[in-house]
């Protein structure tokens, strides 16, 4: 890795209305780009781009904005994020993934789900940087996604920002109780604090083995992630930063008590 290599980021994108909400996480996303050079392209592994049995890479030159949610403010459905795609980069990523042993294919007509466009609309509102989406596999675990990230590790040295977009905790059943009541700020329960504390400590120590086995080792892992598709992008970002990456927690807040909006930055080791 060169000294100018981009970090990889893990972003907790939250509910779709993060795009219009006055929250700590939204405020952090609005200033995120200020701490980075301008990337030539952005690659996002989104928890909402789920493909089983392989990896899909968006290759549409003009991706549409997908409003993949219901019951939110009408203005959200009018929002667009008209960033271009980059078919050449998508094909290159597909080749790299195939060379690493992944059954990968470039796909057309795949737009930006809200795990992609909501954080990018805040961080890069001009929508003038090409964006490529990479899928996660809900039937594969952290090790698969860490290795997927490793196959993307050269991109940072080429001016490409790799982002894993998911959620540090994601028990929607618990969150909806407060969401329906309109209570966004609530006390964080102990079972969330214990899980996030364990994850934060392992990430800071770069304890990859423990992190990959989080579902058995972390306290309250299954309660915080009944299914783990929203944590899998974390492993893509961690792998994409390369071996020995320096981890920095760049944001920490919570919404609806149980949704940790923690964000991490992984800086590659300079050579």
């Amino acid at each position: 890795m060169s000294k100018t290599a981009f970090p990889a980021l893990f972003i907790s994108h939250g509910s779709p209305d993060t795009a219009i909400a006055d929250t700590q996480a939204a405020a952090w996303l609005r200033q995120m780009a200020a701490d980075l050079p301008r990337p030539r392209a952005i690659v996002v592994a989104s928890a909402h781009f789920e493909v089983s049995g392989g990896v899909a890479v968006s290759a549409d030159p003009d991706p549409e904005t997908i409003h993949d949610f219901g019951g939110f403010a009408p203005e959200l459905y009018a929002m667009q994020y008209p960033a271009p795609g980059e078919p050449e980069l998508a094909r290159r990523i597909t080749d790299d993934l195939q060379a690493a042993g992944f059954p990968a294919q470039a796909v057309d007509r795949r737009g930006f789900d809200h795990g992609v466009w909501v954080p990018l609309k805040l961080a890069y509102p001009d929508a003038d940087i090409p964006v490529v989406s990479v899928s996660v596999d809900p039937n594969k675990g952290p090790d698969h996604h860490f290795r997927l990230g490793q196959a993307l590790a050269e991109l940072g040295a080429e001016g490409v920002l790799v982002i894993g977009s998911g959620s540090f905790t994601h028990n929607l059943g618990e969150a909806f109780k407060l969401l329906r009541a309109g209570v966004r700020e609530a006390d964080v329960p102990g079972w969330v604090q214990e899980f996030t504390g364990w994850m934060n400590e392992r990430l800071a120590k770069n304890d990859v083995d423990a992190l990959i086995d989080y579902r058995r080792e972390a306290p309250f892992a299954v309660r915080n992630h009944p299914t783990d598709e929203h944590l899998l992008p974390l492993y893509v970002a961690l792998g994409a930063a390369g071996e020995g990456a320096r981890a920095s927690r760049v944001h920490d807040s919570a919404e609806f008590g149980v949704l940790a909006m923690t964000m991490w930055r992984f800086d590659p080791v300079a050579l």
Side-chain angles (χ1 to χ4, degrees), residues 14-15 17-18 23 72 171-172 174-189 191-192 253-261:
S15 64
D17 70 347
T18 297
T23 63
F72 288 90
N171 187 322
L172 289 186
E174 296 283 351
F176 279 150
K177 296 175 184 177
L178 292 174
L179 189 151
R180 294 188 187 100
V183 180
R184 197 165 200 133
E185 295 186 15
D187 291 338
V188 178
W191 56 270
V192 174
S253 64
E255 298 178 14
F256 311 108
V258 299
L259 291 187
M261 299 295 292

Side-chain angles (χ1 to χ4, degrees), residues 203-217:
L203 284 163
K205 293 180 177 178
N206 197 26
D207 189 349
V208 174
D209 289 341
L211 288 162
I212 286 175
D213 200 27
Y214 90 96
R215 212 145 178 87
R216 289 195 306 170
E217 293 195 26

Side-chain angles (χ1 to χ4, degrees), residues 79-140:
M79 284 187 171
Q80 298 293 312
Y81 192 71
E86 189 172 318
E88 184 177 346
L89 177 60
R91 287 190 291 271
R92 179 266 174 89
I93 290 171
T94 301
D95 290 344
D96 287 348
L97 289 170
Q98 290 174 346
F102 292 91
Q105 62 176 341
V107 296
D108 294 321
R109 295 183 298 279
R110 170 66 197 186
F112 300 141
D113 59 65
H114 78 267
V116 177
W117 71 261
V118 166
L120 292 187
K121 191 168 184 66
L122 295 172
Y124 297 99
D126 293 337
D128 57 353
I129 299 173
V131 179
V132 172
S133 300
V134 176
S135 69
V136 299
D137 189 331
N139 298 312
K140 303 286 188 181

Side-chain angles (χ1 to χ4, degrees), residues 41-67:
I42 301 171
V43 173
V44 183
S46 170
H48 294 280
F49 188 6
E50 296 183 54
V51 175
S52 297
V55 184
V57 183
S58 68
D60 196 316
D62 297 297
E64 66 176 344
T65 303
I66 305 172
H67 300 92

Side-chain angles (χ1 to χ4, degrees), residues 149-235:
Q150 288 179 312
L152 307 178
E154 293 183 2
L155 296 176
E158 299 170 12
V160 177
L161 176 62
V162 177
I163 296 175
S165 178
S167 187
F168 208 54
T169 62
H170 197 251
N171 187 322
L172 289 186
E174 296 283 351
F176 279 150
K177 296 175 184 177
L178 292 174
L179 189 151
R180 294 188 187 100
V183 180
R184 197 165 200 133
E185 295 186 15
D187 291 338
V188 178
W191 56 270
V192 174
Q193 294 182 39
E194 289 193 39
F195 174 77
T196 58
W198 186 94
M199 289 290 295
N200 285 329
E201 182 178 346
R202 276 23 178 222
L203 284 163
K205 293 180 177 178
N206 197 26
D207 189 349
V208 174
D209 289 341
L211 288 162
I212 286 175
D213 200 27
Y214 90 96
R215 212 145 178 87
R216 289 195 306 170
E217 293 195 26
F220 302 105
V222 176
R223 189 170 183 185
N224 281 278
H225 287 280
T227 58
D228 66 356
E229 78 290 334
H230 269 73
L231 196 61
L232 298 177
L234 169 71
Y235 295 93

